[in-house]
Amino acid sequence: MSPPPPPPPPPPPPPICLPSFNLKGKKKKLDEYDDEKSNGSLSHLTSHSRSRASGTSRRTRDSQDSLPRSQRPSATGTPLPRSNSLSPTPTMTDVPSRGSGKAISQAVSLHFTEDTESYGQFRKVVPKLDRSRKLTRGDTLRSKLGYGWGLGLGRKDKDKDDLFTEANRTSSATTILPVYPRDAPPSFPPESTQTPTRHMSQRSKSSQDSRRSNDTQASRATKSSHGSKRSKRSQSTVNTLTGSALERKEGYEDPIRDVVMSEDAHQSEYTANADKRREWITNFTGSAGQAIVSKTAAYLITDSRYWLQAEQELDENWTLIRVGMPSGPRNWVEWVSDRVYESRVGVDARMVSNETATQLYPLLQAKRSKLVYPSQNLIDLIWEDKPSRSKNKIYTQPIEYTGKDASKKLLQVRDWIKNLPPSGSTPSKDPPAPSQQHVGTLVTNLACIAYVLNLRGDDIPFNPVFVSYLYISLDRAILFIEREKVEQPASTYLQNLNVEIRDYNAIWSFLRTREWGDGKVIISPQTSYAISLMLTHYRYTVAPSIIDEMMSVKNEVEIQGLKRAYLRDGACYVQFLAWLDEKMSKGFQITEWEAAWRLTEFRSKTKNYMGLAYENISATGPNAALPHYNPLKSSSSIIDRETPYLNDSGGQYRDGTCDTTRTVHFGHPTKEQSEAYTRVLQGHIAIDSAIFPKGTTGRQLDVLARKNLWQDGMNYLHGTGHGVGSFLNVHEGLHGFSSDVPLTRGHVLTNEPGYYKPDEFGIRIESVYVVRDVRTKHTDSEHSWLGFERLTCVPIQTRMVLENMLSKEEKEWLVQHNRACLNALEGLLRDDKRALKWLRREAERGIGVAPAPGGFIIDWN
């Protein structure tokens, strides 16, 4: 493999920001939290979040009632923390070799608090929200900074602890922050309606007395007018303060208090329960979005996949901000940067990526604003019943499923490190300095760690990964993981790979002491910004990880494993559809939740089954218009015979990860429903049939899926498809139909166009494909062509298809597709007469519900 192009130059260096640490003394803890004096913005939301605890418990009990007895929590002892998902679907199943681990002490070399460490003592009684009023301004917690205490505007060391002091004011929670133009920031901050109260940093009483005694008449005059505009300061006062002291005295409006991210410290899309901070504070359960909490309001920012869901789940304290539309902001970074001026935007640096932080930094700097990083996550300080972290054991993924030994994967990574050109090198006869050489890479993505080591875990629901960091150099490898998770045979396996095991929190002391010596560490753009701040830009290079590329291109062993997994999963899906069709035809009332559970039951009996790949999406009527709707036992709807029913689900198997969506109808579809379904099907067929030259990107093919929908003025606002893992994450890699990454032989991705009519119905058809070489009439050595080989094997219902809208080729495709499913699954379903009968009927039936003479309707069933 030829070396990739040299990485782009790093962003402008921030001030050197290192975590404070004390090797001799004990850790400092926060002062006791005084709830009578501190009612910060986040605290106003806590009772809203805590009030959901009973509802969550009820949902959990509902889920447990329907579990097989063997899967219910034990009545004795303390069960391991499991998913507290809002869906009744189970997470990964246990595998052999898991047991209890021996606890060890946590790392104590740093002041800032890690996820697995205990926080400072504070009152257990959290201020409750008065539901009769909107959010009000109040004091918030003040804490000393750890790593990275403010980019952009410098502050003296003695002022580090003043980041989150604020004035006692009241305002409506629905206040909309002003928008400041990017190219012309105002010459003064917004008017303040009240005079801010000056807050002092946490200094000793003697230093405060000294400061009071030394106040000059000029500074007193300044204090009396510190709420005025900067342009007015020189009219009547002589200001003797400069820098951070002046900034503190002016007390300008500081609208953005905290950004609560959806991701964890590893930038995972799906997170463990202990990392669902944004979900806890907002009640919004979607997998993507950010919570923005200001002095006067609270905002939830999310994309089009979750707009309808967010409207249903947010209460009156939150304002929904829609991003991704052509006329609005593309993401939360643009939205925030357009609404700040001389502000401090607080964010946990572990939860934001290097890529995002470096995008946000110059935008804030142009508005004389900056990022600040509290030493403790503000949500964690008020989340009393925060779940504990998983202690589940890691286990090996055999080479019969991976097709490649972990030692060879590590060797490929090391070759990539060696072949990267030195950082900042220019054509010269002089050899590069040792500090310019790349000596290793730090891997933080959990799926990448699991892939390169051929290990799997159970720390995150539906994703067989484990929380850890991995450092790979030219001659060593270090896995930072909680030691309780590593038992035999995984311990011996890692020892044979020459992988050293260290405690999870030891990553920070490893970075601080720079054990690798001279040279730079390669990090990916998605690496936590806290790591970037710890290293400083002199010690790292940002480059796309080679492991992402290795993982996304499946070898032949992985492809054959996926084929077997999709055959078994397809047989389960057919069994489910046959069962549901029989029950609906007999007049039974089946809920969305019951249907989802019945499909899970069929999958659980299958070979190599390890759990679900994601929460079941089982939706009828208006719920199907929510692309990521998950039913609850207590509130799910009865499946409607007048509207389409959509099921999007998949299983995790040792030999593959599955993702399938089918939409079916159990009555007589309307013309509108049939037209929409037919247009979606045409887009699905167009992608399935595509042949394209090597170098084509998914984004270039995306229009094929939308063309027929666009002809009728219809569209869908989510992507057309994403990469899929091999017993890893269901969303994997950088390729897909919304990506500019060229599609390559071995890429596995979904094809899932859809249409959603709000409050009425939704339609989606999804199958999974592997990119293959295709021989064409004029194929030669210089021009290679690619196409798709379908892995999914589930018939597509023809009841809602309008035959007169299909071309001859599309009709033939549909017939051949369903017959191919019959041929592939018939042998697996010999013992299930109901499923076999349904499968044969779907393969042989005509298209649509055909009209007959005399006004009768012929139902092909």
Side-chain angles (χ1 to χ4, degrees):
M1 178 182 298
S2 58
I16 296 179
C17 306
L18 298 177
S20 55
F21 55 91
N22 187 349
L23 298 177
K24 296 181 179 180
K26 295 183 178 179
K27 287 186 175 181
K28 296 181 180 179
K29 297 182 178 180
L30 290 178
D31 294 337
E32 184 172 81
Y33 179 44
D34 189 348
D35 58 316
E36 296 180 358
K37 298 180 180 180
S38 182
N39 293 318
S41 300
L42 293 178
S43 300
H44 288 295
L45 303 175
T46 55
S47 66
H48 154 65
S49 300
R50 293 181 62 196
S51 67
R52 300 197 307 271
S54 60
T56 303
S57 300
R58 287 193 297 271
R59 288 192 290 267
T60 304
R61 288 195 296 270
D62 289 344
S63 301
Q64 293 173 359
D65 290 342
S66 59
L67 280 171
R69 184 174 301 275
S70 61
Q71 298 182 21
R72 297 182 186 178
S74 172
T76 60
T78 302
L80 290 175
R82 300 294 296 176
S83 170
N84 194 21
S85 168
L86 296 183
S87 167
T89 51
T91 62
M92 306 300 297
T93 57
D94 289 341
V95 298
S97 80
R98 299 182 185 178
S100 59
K102 183 179 179 180
I104 62 171
S105 61
Q106 303 294 337
V108 295
S109 58
L110 301 176
H111 270 338
F112 63 86
T113 308
E114 288 308 308
D115 290 337
T116 52
E117 294 179 314
S118 59
Y119 290 96
Q121 298 297 320
F122 56 92
R123 288 187 188 273
K124 295 300 181 182
V125 179
V126 181
K128 294 187 177 180
L129 176 65
D130 183 358
R131 308 295 288 194
S132 64
R133 63 182 177 85
K134 298 286 187 177
L135 292 175
T136 59
R137 268 184 215 161
D139 291 340
T140 185
L141 290 173
R142 295 178 294 177
S143 60
K144 287 196 173 183
L145 294 178
Y147 47 83
W149 51 79
L151 299 176
L153 301 178
R155 298 180 69 92
K156 298 179 182 179
D157 289 351
K158 65 181 181 179
D159 298 322
K160 295 174 191 174
D161 55 351
D162 283 334
L163 288 175
F164 287 96
T165 55
E166 58 182 9
N168 291 321
R169 311 175 186 185
T170 58
S171 178
S172 171
T174 57
T175 300
I176 302 300
L177 299 180
V179 177
Y180 299 113
R182 292 178 181 275
D183 52 352
S187 58
F188 52 85
E191 290 278 4
S192 176
T193 57
Q194 298 186 26
T195 302
T197 303
R198 178 177 177 179
H199 290 262
M200 299 180 182
S201 57
Q202 298 174 1
R203 298 185 178 92
S204 64
K205 186 176 184 302
S206 60
S207 63
Q208 294 177 5
D209 294 324
S210 174
R211 185 172 59 187
R212 293 192 191 99
S213 64
N214 292 328
D215 272 347
T216 62
Q217 184 66 31
S219 65
R220 294 191 189 99
T222 302
K223 183 184 299 184
S224 66
S225 60
H226 64 80
S228 63
K229 299 179 182 178
R230 183 173 304 206
S231 59
K232 296 181 180 180
R233 282 202 306 268
S234 60
Q235 294 180 3
S236 59
T237 63
V238 178
N239 203 324
T240 62
L241 298 179
T242 60
S244 59
L246 176 61
E247 179 183 343
R248 192 169 60 253
K249 282 182 72 75
E250 288 170 343
Y252 285 148
E253 195 76 27
D254 191 3
I256 306 296
R257 305 309 299 163
D258 193 45
V259 180
V260 185
M261 308 295 292
S262 297
E263 297 79 9
D264 59 14
H266 302 268
Q267 300 304 298
S268 304
E269 178 185 9
Y270 299 100
T271 61
N273 289 333
D275 291 312
K276 294 183 182 296
R277 298 174 178 87
R278 190 228 58 221
E279 178 179 323
W280 180 82
I281 197 70
T282 65
N283 196 40
F284 169 63
T285 59
S287 62
Q290 296 77 31
I292 311 292
V293 181
S294 74
K295 288 181 180 180
T296 60
Y299 307 89
L300 187 281
I301 301 178
T302 191
D303 60 55
S304 60
R305 295 174 297 168
Y306 300 102
W307 291 345
L308 296 177
Q309 179 179 343
E311 288 176 352
Q312 295 178 3
E313 294 180 341
L314 297 177
D315 68 7
E316 68 277 4
N317 289 297
W318 294 89
T319 300
L320 174 62
I321 304 298
R322 297 169 173 84
V323 295
M325 294 294 289
S327 59
R330 292 180 300 172
N331 50 44
W332 73 272
V333 171
E334 286 191 2
W335 188 86
V336 167
S337 61
D338 284 343
R339 286 159 177 80
V340 296
Y341 183 77
E342 292 201 347
S343 300
R344 292 166 294 185
V345 179
V347 65
D348 188 335
R350 296 168 300 175
M351 311 306 167
V352 63
S353 68
N354 176 280
E355 181 178 44
T356 300
T358 52
Q359 288 175 357
L360 185 58
Y361 168 70
L363 298 177
L364 294 181
Q365 192 177 43
K367 302 296 183 64
R368 300 170 68 177
S369 301
K370 61 183 177 180
L371 287 171
V372 292
Y373 313 105
S375 62
Q376 290 177 299
N377 190 288
L378 303 185
I379 299 296
D380 292 343
L381 292 175
I382 58 176
W383 190 355
E384 286 190 323
D385 55 348
K386 187 172 183 283
S388 58
R389 292 204 166 274
S390 165
K391 303 295 183 183
N392 292 332
K393 312 307 173 189
I394 62 175
Y395 53 97
T396 59
Q397 176 74 340
I399 195 170
E400 63 183 283
Y401 301 125
T402 65
K404 192 173 185 179
D405 189 81
S407 60
K408 294 182 179 179
K409 295 180 180 180
L410 290 171
L411 181 61
Q412 188 174 347
V413 174
R414 287 169 174 143
D415 288 340
W416 169 70
I417 296 171
K418 279 191 284 189
N419 292 328
L420 274 181
S423 175
S425 61
T426 57
S428 173
K429 295 181 179 179
D430 298 330
S435 60
Q436 294 178 297
Q437 298 282 7
H438 294 109
V439 296
T441 182
L442 181 63
V443 187
T444 63
N445 180 280
L446 303 184
C448 287
I449 297 173
Y451 167 82
V452 78
L453 294 178
N454 285 348
L455 290 172
R456 298 294 187 267
D458 194 12
D459 284 354
I460 295 179
F462 312 110
N463 296 272
V465 297
F466 49 95
V467 176
S468 59
Y469 296 96
L470 177 64
Y471 174 76
I472 304 173
S473 71
L474 299 179
D475 57 359
R476 68 191 299 201
I478 306 174
L479 179 65
F480 298 89
I481 184 174
E482 293 181 68
R483 293 180 183 269
E484 303 97 305
K485 299 178 183 179
V486 185
E487 290 186 349
Q488 296 294 350
S491 178
T492 301
Y493 170 80
L494 288 170
Q495 186 177 359
N496 293 336
L497 280 177
N498 293 321
V499 176
E500 181 184 348
I501 300 174
R502 296 194 189 180
D503 189 73
Y504 178 73
N505 287 329
I507 182 65
W508 303 108
S509 58
F510 174 79
L511 297 175
R512 175 176 54 81
T513 57
R514 301 185 178 94
E515 290 186 22
W516 59 89
D518 291 331
K520 292 197 171 186
V521 174
I522 307 164
I523 62 173
S524 74
Q526 288 73 42
T527 300
S528 162
Y529 197 52
I531 290 175
S532 304
L533 292 172
M534 178 73 81
L535 288 170
T536 75
H537 78 284
Y538 301 106
R539 293 283 183 168
Y540 69 84
T541 296
V542 179
S545 173
I546 186 66
I547 302 177
D548 276 317
E549 180 182 338
M550 294 164 54
M551 182 171 57
S552 63
V553 179
K554 305 296 186 288
N555 59 48
E556 196 59 33
V557 171
E558 291 173 312
I559 292 172
Q560 294 304 317
L562 283 163
K563 285 184 177 181
R564 294 190 300 270
Y566 274 92
L567 279 177
R568 296 193 304 272
D569 195 77
C572 296
Y573 211 112
V574 167
Q575 289 178 297
F576 159 71
L577 289 176
W579 169 85
L580 183 59
D581 185 82
E582 180 183 74
K583 294 298 182 183
M584 296 295 291
S585 65
K586 292 182 178 179
F588 285 87
Q589 290 189 328
I590 308 297
T591 67
E592 300 162 322
W593 183 91
E594 183 182 356
W597 259 112
R598 185 53 62 104
L599 178 51
T600 301
E601 183 182 15
F602 285 121
R603 285 185 168 124
S604 65
K605 300 175 183 178
T606 307
K607 179 183 177 182
N608 288 339
Y609 178 76
M610 300 296 292
L612 291 178
Y614 50 98
E615 289 182 295
N616 280 328
I617 299 173
S618 174
T620 186
N623 294 335
L626 306 174
H628 284 240
Y629 168 82
N630 305 119
L632 302 177
K633 183 178 181 180
S634 58
S635 60
S636 63
S637 301
I638 302 293
I639 295 178
D640 186 8
R641 291 173 174 79
E642 304 301 322
T643 59
Y645 167 72
L646 185 154
N647 187 289
D648 182 344
S649 59
Q652 285 280 18
Y653 305 93
R654 288 300 289 265
D655 45 359
T657 300
C658 295
D659 185 357
T660 302
T661 305
R662 292 293 183 264
T663 305
V664 295
H665 204 292
F666 298 103
H668 297 287
T670 65
K671 182 180 179 181
E672 181 184 27
Q673 294 168 359
S674 296
E675 288 178 347
Y677 185 88
T678 305
R679 290 305 189 194
V680 170
L681 174 61
Q682 288 176 310
H684 186 87
I685 295 173
I687 292 291
D688 181 286
S689 308
I691 295 176
F692 46 94
K694 186 178 181 180
T696 302
T697 68
R699 192 186 300 276
Q700 291 172 314
L701 298 178
D702 181 74
V703 67
L704 298 178
R706 303 178 188 268
K707 176 185 174 183
N708 290 283
L709 284 163
W710 288 351
Q711 289 178 355
D712 288 347
M714 297 185 289
N715 198 10
Y716 53 95
L717 298 180
H718 57 74
T720 300
H722 55 82
V724 179
S726 176
F727 188 40
L728 274 173
N729 298 352
V730 72
H731 291 170
E732 177 185 277
L734 304 178
H735 61 288
F737 290 105
S738 301
S739 169
D740 290 319
V741 174
L743 295 176
T744 303
R745 180 181 61 186
H747 275 162
V748 175
L749 69 167
T750 65
N751 168 20
E752 47 183 314
Y755 174 72
Y756 312 93
K757 186 173 183 181
D759 300 322
E760 292 195 27
F761 65 89
I763 293 166
R764 185 164 65 252
I765 304 174
E766 177 186 22
S767 297
V768 174
Y769 300 81
V770 58
V771 179
R772 292 290 206 180
D773 287 323
V774 174
R775 289 194 63 83
T776 63
K777 183 177 180 180
H778 298 288
T779 297
D780 54 45
S781 58
E782 295 183 2
H783 303 88
S784 57
W785 296 82
L786 301 173
F788 296 113
E789 178 184 356
R790 186 171 55 253
L791 300 176
T792 304
C793 199
V794 178
I796 294 175
Q797 192 190 59
T798 60
R799 183 192 296 262
M800 283 185 285
V801 178
L802 294 179
E803 186 174 8
N804 61 350
M805 292 177 62
L806 297 182
S807 67
K808 178 182 177 181
E809 292 76 15
E810 290 168 338
K811 294 176 189 176
E812 183 64 23
W813 183 96
L814 182 56
V815 171
Q816 292 299 327
H817 175 277
N818 287 349
R819 287 179 180 171
C821 292
L822 172 62
N823 295 334
L825 299 177
E826 198 169 16
L828 296 174
L829 296 172
R830 273 197 200 96
D831 298 331
D832 190 334
K833 294 182 180 180
R834 178 179 56 196
L836 190 58
K837 179 181 177 181
W838 182 92
L839 179 62
R840 288 172 177 166
R841 186 194 73 195
E842 291 299 312
E844 296 168 359
R845 64 168 290 168
I847 296 177
V849 180
F856 291 98
I857 295 294
I858 298 177
D859 189 338
W860 291 102
N861 290 339

